[in-house]
Amino acid sequence: MTVLEVRDVHRVHGTGATSVTALDGISLTVGAGELVAVMGPSGSGKSTLLNLAGGLDSPTRGQVLVDGTSLQSLSRKQLAAWRRKRIGYVFQDLNLIASLTAAENVALPLDLDGVRGSRRQAEEALTEVGLDGYADRFPDEMSGGQQQRVAVARALIGERRLVLADEPTGALDSRTGEAVLRLLRSKVDDGAAAVLVTHDARHAAWADRVVFLRDGVVADVSERDQPEELLSTP
Amino acid sequence: MSVKHGLLALLERGPMYGYQLRAAFDSATGGTWPLNIGQVYTTLARLERDDLVAALPENEGQRPYEITAHGRDELKKWFTTPVQRGDRPRDEVAIKLALAITTPGVDVAKVVMTQRTSTMRTLQEYTRLKAQPGDLPWLLVLDAMIFQAEAELRWLDHCEASLVRYEPQAVPVPADVEVPR
Ligand SMILES: Nc1ncnc2c1ncn2[C@@H]1O[C@H](COP(=O)(O)OP(=O)(O)O)[C@@H](O)[C@H]1O
Ligand SMILES: [Mg+2]
Protein backbone atom coordinates (compact mmCIF):
# COMPACT_ATOMS: atom_id res chain seq x y z
CA MET A 1 0.00 0.00 0.00
CA THR A 2 1.42 3.32 -1.08
CA VAL A 3 1.79 5.88 1.72
CA LEU A 4 3.90 8.56 0.06
CA GLU A 5 3.86 9.38 -3.61
CA VAL A 6 6.01 12.14 -5.05
CA ARG A 7 5.05 12.74 -8.69
CA ASP A 8 7.45 14.52 -11.00
CA VAL A 9 8.14 17.21 -8.45
CA HIS A 10 10.08 20.37 -9.23
CA ARG A 11 11.06 23.00 -6.70
CA VAL A 12 12.63 26.27 -7.72
CA HIS A 13 13.68 28.68 -4.99
CA GLY A 14 13.45 32.37 -5.89
CA THR A 15 12.85 33.85 -9.33
CA GLY A 16 14.78 35.24 -12.26
CA ALA A 17 18.52 35.21 -12.52
CA THR A 18 19.11 34.25 -8.88
CA SER A 19 16.66 31.31 -8.86
CA VAL A 20 17.92 27.93 -7.72
CA THR A 21 16.44 24.66 -8.95
CA ALA A 22 16.54 22.44 -5.88
CA LEU A 23 14.50 19.59 -7.39
CA ASP A 24 14.27 19.03 -11.10
CA GLY A 25 11.63 16.37 -11.64
CA ILE A 26 11.66 13.74 -8.93
CA SER A 27 9.31 10.80 -8.58
CA LEU A 28 9.34 8.51 -5.59
CA THR A 29 6.89 6.04 -4.09
CA VAL A 30 7.16 4.70 -0.56
CA GLY A 31 4.86 1.94 0.62
CA ALA A 32 3.80 0.81 4.09
CA GLY A 33 6.58 -1.32 5.56
CA GLU A 34 9.19 0.34 3.41
CA LEU A 35 12.21 2.35 4.48
CA VAL A 36 13.82 4.47 1.79
CA ALA A 37 17.15 6.20 2.33
CA VAL A 38 18.14 9.31 0.39
CA MET A 39 21.83 10.05 -0.13
CA GLY A 40 23.66 12.64 -2.18
CA PRO A 41 26.16 15.48 -1.98
CA SER A 42 25.16 18.52 0.01
CA GLY A 43 22.97 20.84 -2.03
CA SER A 44 21.58 17.95 -4.09
CA GLY A 45 18.03 18.59 -2.81
CA LYS A 46 17.62 16.03 -0.01
CA SER A 47 16.15 18.36 2.60
CA THR A 48 13.94 20.05 0.01
CA LEU A 49 12.53 16.65 -0.93
CA LEU A 50 11.83 15.78 2.68
CA ASN A 51 10.15 19.12 3.37
CA LEU A 52 7.90 18.64 0.37
CA ALA A 53 7.04 15.09 1.44
CA GLY A 54 5.98 16.44 4.83
CA GLY A 55 3.95 19.34 3.50
CA LEU A 56 6.31 21.94 4.99
CA ASP A 57 7.01 23.31 1.53
CA SER A 58 5.11 23.08 -1.75
CA PRO A 59 6.39 22.07 -5.16
CA THR A 60 6.66 24.58 -7.98
CA ARG A 61 5.38 21.80 -10.21
CA GLY A 62 4.22 18.23 -9.62
CA GLN A 63 2.33 16.62 -6.78
CA VAL A 64 2.88 15.11 -3.36
CA LEU A 65 0.31 12.61 -2.11
CA VAL A 66 0.13 11.06 1.35
CA ASP A 67 -2.31 8.15 1.66
CA GLY A 68 -3.71 9.18 -1.70
CA THR A 69 -4.50 12.76 -0.70
CA SER A 70 -2.71 15.59 -2.45
CA LEU A 71 -1.16 17.81 0.21
CA GLN A 72 -1.74 20.89 -1.95
CA SER A 73 -5.50 20.22 -1.92
CA LEU A 74 -5.67 20.71 1.87
CA SER A 75 -6.25 24.02 3.64
CA ARG A 76 -3.50 25.18 5.99
CA LYS A 77 -5.49 24.05 8.98
CA GLN A 78 -6.29 20.66 7.49
CA LEU A 79 -2.66 20.23 6.55
CA ALA A 80 -1.48 21.00 10.08
CA ALA A 81 -3.83 18.41 11.58
CA TRP A 82 -2.92 15.89 8.89
CA ARG A 83 0.75 16.33 9.59
CA ARG A 84 0.40 15.95 13.35
CA LYS A 85 -1.57 12.73 13.09
CA ARG A 86 0.14 10.97 10.26
CA ILE A 87 3.61 12.31 9.82
CA GLY A 88 6.52 12.14 12.24
CA TYR A 89 9.63 14.25 11.65
CA VAL A 90 13.15 14.30 12.90
CA PHE A 91 14.92 17.40 11.69
CA GLN A 92 18.56 18.25 11.36
CA ASP A 93 18.02 20.91 14.04
CA LEU A 94 16.05 19.19 16.72
CA ASN A 95 13.29 21.67 17.40
CA LEU A 96 12.73 20.54 20.97
CA ILE A 97 10.81 23.08 23.02
CA ALA A 98 13.11 24.30 25.77
CA SER A 99 10.37 25.00 28.31
CA LEU A 100 8.90 21.49 28.04
CA THR A 101 10.29 18.31 29.60
CA ALA A 102 11.38 15.34 27.48
CA ALA A 103 8.03 13.58 28.03
CA GLU A 104 6.06 16.76 27.28
CA ASN A 105 8.01 17.30 24.07
CA VAL A 106 7.35 13.73 22.99
CA ALA A 107 3.64 13.86 23.96
CA LEU A 108 3.05 17.22 22.27
CA PRO A 109 1.73 15.95 18.92
CA LEU A 110 -0.72 13.67 20.76
CA ASP A 111 -1.77 16.40 23.22
CA LEU A 112 -2.55 18.81 20.41
CA ASP A 113 -5.08 16.29 19.13
CA GLY A 114 -6.49 15.55 22.59
CA VAL A 115 -5.27 11.94 22.60
CA ARG A 116 -5.68 10.33 26.04
CA GLY A 117 -2.86 8.49 27.77
CA SER A 118 -0.26 10.61 25.98
CA ARG A 119 2.02 10.73 29.04
CA ARG A 120 2.20 6.94 29.27
CA GLN A 121 2.84 6.64 25.52
CA ALA A 122 5.56 9.27 25.75
CA GLU A 123 7.27 7.41 28.59
CA GLU A 124 7.15 4.19 26.58
CA ALA A 125 8.60 5.93 23.55
CA LEU A 126 11.42 7.36 25.69
CA THR A 127 12.16 3.90 27.06
CA GLU A 128 12.34 2.58 23.52
CA VAL A 129 15.05 5.07 22.62
CA GLY A 130 16.97 4.20 25.79
CA LEU A 131 15.93 7.24 27.83
CA ASP A 132 14.24 5.42 30.67
CA GLY A 133 14.07 7.81 33.63
CA TYR A 134 14.65 10.99 31.61
CA ALA A 135 10.96 11.87 31.22
CA ASP A 136 11.08 14.92 33.49
CA ARG A 137 14.36 16.41 32.31
CA PHE A 138 14.45 19.57 30.26
CA PRO A 139 16.37 19.66 26.96
CA ASP A 140 19.20 21.74 28.47
CA GLU A 141 19.67 19.04 31.11
CA MET A 142 20.52 16.45 28.46
CA SER A 143 23.43 15.81 26.10
CA GLY A 144 23.12 16.42 22.35
CA GLY A 145 22.76 12.71 21.72
CA GLN A 146 20.03 12.39 24.33
CA GLN A 147 18.13 15.33 22.85
CA GLN A 148 18.41 13.67 19.48
CA ARG A 149 16.79 10.56 20.88
CA VAL A 150 13.96 12.63 22.37
CA ALA A 151 13.34 14.03 18.88
CA VAL A 152 13.29 10.49 17.50
CA ALA A 153 10.83 9.36 20.19
CA ARG A 154 8.59 12.31 19.30
CA ALA A 155 8.64 11.32 15.63
CA LEU A 156 7.82 7.67 16.27
CA ILE A 157 5.04 8.10 18.85
CA GLY A 158 1.42 7.33 18.03
CA GLU A 159 -0.05 5.96 14.85
CA ARG A 160 2.33 7.69 12.48
CA ARG A 161 2.04 6.33 8.98
CA LEU A 162 4.93 8.27 7.57
CA VAL A 163 8.21 9.04 9.30
CA LEU A 164 10.59 11.58 7.75
CA ALA A 165 14.08 11.93 9.16
CA ASP A 166 16.74 14.39 8.00
CA GLU A 167 20.17 13.30 9.25
CA PRO A 168 18.72 12.01 12.54
CA THR A 169 21.99 10.37 13.51
CA GLY A 170 24.19 13.38 12.87
CA ALA A 171 25.09 14.14 16.48
CA LEU A 172 25.17 10.54 17.66
CA ASP A 173 28.06 8.17 18.26
CA SER A 174 28.17 5.02 16.17
CA ARG A 175 26.37 2.72 18.63
CA THR A 176 23.57 5.16 19.47
CA GLY A 177 23.17 5.96 15.79
CA GLU A 178 22.71 2.28 15.10
CA ALA A 179 20.15 2.02 17.91
CA VAL A 180 18.14 4.83 16.30
CA LEU A 181 18.23 3.00 12.96
CA ARG A 182 17.05 -0.22 14.58
CA LEU A 183 14.11 1.70 16.08
CA LEU A 184 13.22 3.27 12.77
CA ARG A 185 13.48 -0.11 11.09
CA SER A 186 11.16 -1.74 13.62
CA LYS A 187 8.62 1.08 13.29
CA VAL A 188 8.68 0.45 9.54
CA ASP A 189 8.46 -3.31 9.98
CA ASP A 190 5.31 -2.63 12.04
CA GLY A 191 3.75 -1.01 8.98
CA ALA A 192 4.93 2.61 8.75
CA ALA A 193 6.59 4.14 5.70
CA ALA A 194 9.78 6.12 6.21
CA VAL A 195 12.23 8.30 4.34
CA LEU A 196 15.67 8.78 5.86
CA VAL A 197 18.15 11.37 4.62
CA THR A 198 21.69 10.45 5.61
CA HIS A 199 25.35 10.87 4.66
CA ASP A 200 26.23 7.66 6.41
CA ALA A 201 26.21 4.61 4.14
CA ARG A 202 26.07 2.29 7.13
CA HIS A 203 22.83 3.90 8.20
CA ALA A 204 21.40 4.05 4.69
CA ALA A 205 22.04 0.32 4.47
CA TRP A 206 19.16 -0.33 6.88
CA ALA A 207 16.82 0.80 4.09
CA ASP A 208 15.02 -1.33 1.54
CA ARG A 209 15.97 1.16 -1.14
CA VAL A 210 18.68 3.78 -1.37
CA VAL A 211 18.06 6.71 -3.70
CA PHE A 212 21.06 8.77 -4.82
CA LEU A 213 20.24 12.38 -5.59
CA ARG A 214 22.43 14.62 -7.66
CA ASP A 215 21.61 18.17 -8.73
CA GLY A 216 17.94 17.70 -7.92
CA VAL A 217 17.39 14.49 -9.85
CA VAL A 218 17.56 10.80 -8.96
CA ALA A 219 20.93 9.60 -10.22
CA ASP A 220 20.55 5.97 -9.20
CA VAL A 221 18.69 3.58 -6.93
CA SER A 222 20.08 0.62 -5.01
CA GLU A 223 17.40 -1.87 -4.14
CA ARG A 224 17.86 -4.65 -1.66
CA ASP A 225 17.32 -8.01 -3.33
CA GLN A 226 13.90 -9.41 -2.67
CA PRO A 227 13.90 -12.80 -0.91
CA GLU A 228 12.33 -14.40 -4.01
CA GLU A 229 15.17 -13.13 -6.15
CA LEU A 230 17.71 -14.53 -3.73
CA LEU A 231 16.02 -17.93 -3.91
CA SER A 232 15.85 -17.96 -7.68
CA THR A 233 19.53 -17.04 -8.03
CA PRO A 234 21.27 -20.15 -9.40
CA MET B 1 44.54 -14.72 6.46
CA SER B 2 45.45 -18.16 5.28
CA VAL B 3 43.32 -21.26 5.51
CA LYS B 4 46.36 -22.84 7.16
CA HIS B 5 46.23 -20.57 10.21
CA GLY B 6 42.45 -20.79 10.34
CA LEU B 7 42.62 -24.56 10.65
CA LEU B 8 45.38 -24.38 13.25
CA ALA B 9 43.24 -22.03 15.36
CA LEU B 10 40.28 -24.37 15.13
CA LEU B 11 42.42 -27.37 16.11
CA GLU B 12 43.60 -25.47 19.17
CA ARG B 13 40.08 -26.12 20.51
CA GLY B 14 40.73 -29.88 20.30
CA PRO B 15 41.23 -32.67 17.75
CA MET B 16 38.79 -32.65 14.81
CA TYR B 17 37.94 -34.54 11.64
CA GLY B 18 38.23 -32.86 8.28
CA TYR B 19 34.49 -32.44 7.84
CA GLN B 20 34.23 -30.96 11.34
CA LEU B 21 36.97 -28.47 10.51
CA ARG B 22 35.14 -27.44 7.40
CA ALA B 23 31.90 -26.86 9.35
CA ALA B 24 33.74 -24.96 12.10
CA PHE B 25 35.53 -22.78 9.53
CA ASP B 26 32.20 -22.07 7.90
CA SER B 27 30.55 -21.00 11.13
CA ALA B 28 33.57 -18.91 12.21
CA THR B 29 33.41 -16.92 8.98
CA GLY B 30 29.62 -16.87 8.76
CA GLY B 31 29.68 -18.64 5.42
CA THR B 32 31.49 -15.71 3.79
CA TRP B 33 34.51 -17.84 2.97
CA PRO B 34 33.30 -21.22 1.80
CA LEU B 35 35.93 -23.97 1.76
CA ASN B 36 35.46 -27.23 -0.04
CA ILE B 37 36.44 -30.43 1.67
CA GLY B 38 39.29 -30.95 -0.80
CA GLN B 39 40.91 -27.66 0.29
CA VAL B 40 40.63 -28.80 3.91
CA TYR B 41 42.40 -32.10 3.22
CA THR B 42 45.17 -30.63 1.05
CA THR B 43 45.82 -28.01 3.73
CA LEU B 44 45.88 -30.68 6.46
CA ALA B 45 48.34 -32.71 4.38
CA ARG B 46 50.65 -29.71 4.09
CA LEU B 47 50.33 -28.94 7.80
CA GLU B 48 51.15 -32.56 8.62
CA ARG B 49 54.20 -32.48 6.30
CA ASP B 50 55.46 -29.38 8.15
CA ASP B 51 54.83 -31.02 11.52
CA LEU B 52 52.23 -28.42 12.50
CA VAL B 53 49.47 -31.00 12.96
CA ALA B 54 49.51 -34.75 13.54
CA ALA B 55 47.05 -37.38 12.35
CA LEU B 56 45.55 -39.50 15.11
CA PRO B 57 44.55 -43.18 14.69
CA GLU B 58 41.55 -43.74 12.44
CA ASN B 59 38.17 -44.02 14.05
CA GLU B 60 35.45 -45.71 11.97
CA GLY B 61 37.29 -44.86 8.78
CA GLN B 62 37.73 -41.16 9.71
CA ARG B 63 41.02 -39.67 10.75
CA PRO B 64 41.07 -36.93 13.38
CA TYR B 65 43.89 -34.36 13.47
CA GLU B 66 45.46 -32.58 16.40
CA ILE B 67 47.71 -29.53 16.64
CA THR B 68 51.39 -30.17 17.52
CA ALA B 69 53.65 -28.11 19.82
CA HIS B 70 55.27 -26.70 16.70
CA GLY B 71 51.81 -25.85 15.38
CA ARG B 72 51.00 -24.01 18.60
CA ASP B 73 54.15 -21.89 18.22
CA GLU B 74 53.18 -21.06 14.64
CA LEU B 75 49.65 -20.13 15.73
CA LYS B 76 50.94 -17.91 18.50
CA LYS B 77 53.24 -16.19 16.05
CA TRP B 78 50.33 -15.60 13.69
CA PHE B 79 48.16 -14.06 16.40
CA THR B 80 50.94 -11.75 17.57
CA THR B 81 52.02 -10.54 14.11
CA PRO B 82 49.97 -7.79 12.46
CA VAL B 83 48.66 -8.36 8.96
CA GLN B 84 50.49 -6.06 6.55
CA ARG B 85 48.34 -4.11 4.12
CA GLY B 86 50.67 -5.19 1.33
CA ASP B 87 49.88 -8.86 2.04
CA ARG B 88 46.30 -8.34 0.91
CA PRO B 89 45.20 -8.74 -2.67
CA ARG B 90 45.27 -5.62 -4.87
CA ASP B 91 42.14 -3.53 -4.90
CA GLU B 92 40.51 -4.34 -8.20
CA VAL B 93 37.99 -1.52 -7.93
CA ALA B 94 40.73 1.11 -7.57
CA ILE B 95 42.70 -0.32 -10.47
CA LYS B 96 39.62 -0.52 -12.67
CA LEU B 97 38.79 3.10 -11.97
CA ALA B 98 42.32 4.29 -12.63
CA LEU B 99 42.25 2.50 -15.98
CA ALA B 100 38.77 3.83 -16.76
CA ILE B 101 40.06 7.39 -16.40
CA THR B 102 42.93 6.85 -18.80
CA THR B 103 41.06 4.71 -21.34
CA PRO B 104 39.41 6.70 -24.13
CA GLY B 105 35.65 6.44 -24.52
CA VAL B 106 34.86 5.20 -21.01
CA ASP B 107 32.10 6.95 -19.06
CA VAL B 108 33.94 7.12 -15.73
CA ALA B 109 31.02 8.63 -13.81
CA LYS B 110 28.97 5.64 -14.90
CA VAL B 111 31.67 3.25 -13.71
CA VAL B 112 31.64 4.97 -10.31
CA MET B 113 27.84 4.91 -10.09
CA THR B 114 27.57 1.27 -11.10
CA GLN B 115 30.14 0.28 -8.50
CA ARG B 116 28.47 2.40 -5.84
CA THR B 117 25.06 0.86 -6.41
CA SER B 118 26.55 -2.62 -6.23
CA THR B 119 28.58 -1.93 -3.09
CA MET B 120 25.55 -0.28 -1.49
CA ARG B 121 23.49 -3.37 -2.20
CA THR B 122 26.16 -5.55 -0.61
CA LEU B 123 26.12 -3.26 2.42
CA GLN B 124 22.33 -3.60 2.60
CA GLU B 125 22.68 -7.40 2.59
CA TYR B 126 25.27 -7.37 5.40
CA THR B 127 23.04 -5.04 7.38
CA ARG B 128 20.11 -7.36 6.96
CA LEU B 129 22.24 -10.19 8.36
CA LYS B 130 23.27 -7.93 11.21
CA ALA B 131 19.64 -7.24 12.10
CA GLN B 132 19.32 -10.92 13.00
CA PRO B 133 20.63 -12.20 16.31
CA GLY B 134 24.09 -13.75 16.21
CA ASP B 135 27.19 -14.55 18.26
CA LEU B 136 29.68 -11.79 18.93
CA PRO B 137 32.58 -13.27 16.88
CA TRP B 138 30.37 -13.56 13.84
CA LEU B 139 28.88 -10.08 14.36
CA LEU B 140 32.38 -8.62 14.50
CA VAL B 141 33.34 -10.32 11.23
CA LEU B 142 30.17 -8.86 9.77
CA ASP B 143 31.04 -5.41 11.12
CA ALA B 144 34.46 -5.66 9.47
CA MET B 145 32.81 -6.31 6.12
CA ILE B 146 30.34 -3.49 6.76
CA PHE B 147 33.10 -0.98 7.54
CA GLN B 148 35.06 -2.06 4.45
CA ALA B 149 32.04 -1.61 2.21
CA GLU B 150 31.40 1.77 3.82
CA ALA B 151 35.01 2.81 3.21
CA GLU B 152 34.68 1.87 -0.44
CA LEU B 153 31.49 3.93 -0.74
CA ARG B 154 33.20 6.95 0.82
CA TRP B 155 36.10 6.55 -1.52
CA LEU B 156 33.70 6.35 -4.50
CA ASP B 157 32.03 9.61 -3.36
CA HIS B 158 35.48 11.12 -3.16
CA CYS B 159 36.27 9.90 -6.70
CA GLU B 160 33.04 11.34 -8.03
CA ALA B 161 33.73 14.73 -6.47
CA SER B 162 37.32 14.69 -7.80
CA LEU B 163 36.21 13.75 -11.31
CA VAL B 164 34.07 16.87 -11.55
CA ARG B 165 37.25 18.94 -11.41
CA TYR B 166 39.39 16.56 -13.42
CA GLU B 167 41.07 17.63 -16.64
CA PRO B 168 42.79 14.75 -18.35
CA GLN B 169 46.47 15.14 -19.13
CA ALA B 170 47.94 13.65 -22.23
CA VAL B 171 48.77 10.06 -21.50
CA PRO B 172 52.55 9.74 -21.85
CA VAL B 173 53.67 7.51 -24.67
CA PRO B 174 56.63 5.28 -23.89
CA ALA B 175 59.72 6.92 -25.35
CA ASP B 176 60.86 4.04 -27.53
CA VAL B 177 57.54 3.66 -29.33
CA GLU B 178 57.20 5.14 -32.77
CA VAL B 179 53.88 6.85 -33.12
CA PRO B 180 52.62 6.51 -36.67
CA ARG B 181 51.40 9.75 -38.23
N1 LIG C 1 14.94 28.52 1.04
C1 LIG C 1 15.83 28.45 0.05
N2 LIG C 1 16.10 29.51 -0.73
C2 LIG C 1 16.97 29.45 -1.75
N3 LIG C 1 17.67 28.34 -2.07
C3 LIG C 1 17.47 27.25 -1.32
C4 LIG C 1 16.53 27.24 -0.23
N4 LIG C 1 16.54 25.99 0.31
C5 LIG C 1 17.42 25.26 -0.41
N5 LIG C 1 17.97 26.00 -1.37
C6 LIG C 1 18.95 25.55 -2.39
O1 LIG C 1 18.44 24.40 -3.00
C7 LIG C 1 19.46 23.41 -3.20
C8 LIG C 1 19.12 22.14 -2.48
O2 LIG C 1 19.18 22.36 -1.07
P1 LIG C 1 18.85 21.25 0.02
O3 LIG C 1 17.57 20.60 -0.32
O4 LIG C 1 18.97 21.87 1.36
O5 LIG C 1 20.05 20.23 -0.24
P2 LIG C 1 20.66 19.09 0.72
O6 LIG C 1 19.71 18.85 1.85
O7 LIG C 1 20.83 17.92 -0.20
O8 LIG C 1 21.98 19.60 1.18
C9 LIG C 1 20.75 24.07 -2.73
O9 LIG C 1 21.38 24.63 -3.85
C10 LIG C 1 20.27 25.13 -1.77
O10 LIG C 1 21.17 26.19 -1.73
MG1 LIG D 1 20.03 18.94 4.02
Side-chain angles (χ1 to χ4, degrees), chain B residues 99-117:
Chain B
L99 289 171
I101 291 171
T102 48
T103 306
V106 179
D107 183 347
V108 187
K110 189 82 201 300
V111 174
V112 173
M113 187 53 93
T114 304
Q115 185 62 47
R116 177 158 58 200
T117 306

Side-chain angles (χ1 to χ4, degrees), chain A residues 202 207 214 220 222-223, chain B residues 117 121 124 127 130 150 160:
Chain A
R202 278 186 296 130
R214 211 175 146 172
D220 208 4
S222 157
E223 194 138 4
Chain B
T117 306
R121 188 171 299 138
Q124 286 170 275
T127 305
K130 197 180 151 133
E150 183 202 15
E160 190 179 51

Side-chain angles (χ1 to χ4, degrees), chain A residues 42-60:
Chain A
S42 90
S44 57
K46 304 181 297 293
S47 294
T48 302
L49 176 64
L50 219 61
N51 290 339
L52 288 168
L56 295 172
D57 186 11
S58 347
T60 323

Side-chain angles (χ1 to χ4, degrees), chain A residues 140-175:
Chain A
D140 66 3
E141 296 169 341
M142 292 186 282
S143 71
Q146 289 167 339
Q147 292 181 38
Q148 190 94 344
R149 280 183 279 164
V150 174
V152 170
R154 184 184 54 187
L156 299 184
I157 198 173
E159 307 282 297
R160 263 61 186 284
R161 302 259 304 139
L162 177 61
V163 178
L164 304 171
D166 198 347
E167 302 278 358
T169 51
L172 303 179
D173 61 74
S174 158
R175 285 202 140 267

Side-chain angles (χ1 to χ4, degrees), chain B residues 30-45:
Chain B
T32 56
W33 188 352
L35 285 188
N36 63 47
I37 195 73
Q39 283 171 287
V40 174
Y41 284 115
T42 39
T43 308
L44 282 171

Side-chain angles (χ1 to χ4, degrees), chain A residues 18 23 35-36 38-39 59-60 64 89-90 99 104 109 122 126 141 151-152 161 175 191 197 199 219:
Chain A
T18 58
L23 296 180
L35 172 58
V36 173
V38 179
M39 299 189 81
T60 323
V64 178
Y89 294 93
V90 192
S99 59
E104 287 165 350
L126 285 169
E141 296 169 341
V152 170
R161 302 259 304 139
R175 285 202 140 267
V197 168
H199 275 109

